[in-house]
Amino acid sequence: MIKIKNLNFNYPDGTKVFEKFNFTYNGGKIGLIGKNGSGKTTLFHLIMGLLKHQAGEIEIFEKTRKREEDFVEIRRRIGLLFQNPDDQLFCPTVKEEIAFGPLNLGKNKSEALEIVKDVCSLFGLEGYEDKVSFK
């Protein structure tokens, strides 16, 4: 499902995070643990295409991912929650926050609102759709 081969990644300030890093994930539940600053979040950002690696290969769902367009499918199929809720929640209402992702993935307003309804039902949030999302 996810294969990373000889990945190199440095932050712009020169901080080296990965050098010839290899990782394979074939499905199932796993835990990724490590010290602060060890690269856990950076790895997920690379998998989602939010950061660009300098060398190596990222293969997800049997396709090599290099360009921004290559990661659109990934973002449709894999979810990422940010560590800091201030980075995650930025729409004024629960409804708008839930609809943000589907709208940005090309769903029309009607489809996005149906997804909002389904998500609210799934998580017991009926009646909270118009509440402020960041309180």
Side-chain angles (χ1 to χ4, degrees), residues 22-74:
N22 294 289
F23 175 80
T24 301
Y25 172 73
N26 293 315
K29 294 179 182 180
I30 64 169
L32 188 61
I33 59 173
K35 295 180 180 180
N36 287 349
S38 64
K40 301 177 301 292
T41 299
T42 300
L43 175 62
F44 287 112
H45 287 185
L46 288 161
I47 288 169
M48 299 300 290
L50 301 175
L51 294 173
K52 296 188 185 305
H53 58 287
Q54 286 85 29
E57 186 176 294
I58 297 176
E59 181 183 305
I60 305 174
F61 304 127
E62 300 179 0
K63 293 181 187 174
T64 300
R65 312 296 173 152
K66 295 179 183 177
R67 299 171 293 130
E68 175 66 23
E69 301 81 38
D70 297 333
F71 289 92
V72 172
E73 175 192 9
I74 304 311

Side-chain angles (χ1 to χ4, degrees), residues 115-135:
I115 291 169
V116 168
K117 180 180 172 189
D118 292 344
V119 168
C120 285
S121 176
L122 179 66
F123 291 103
L125 296 173
E126 299 97 335
Y128 289 91
E129 295 87 348
D130 295 315
K131 299 282 186 187
V132 176
S133 64
F134 50 84
K135 283 190 175 183

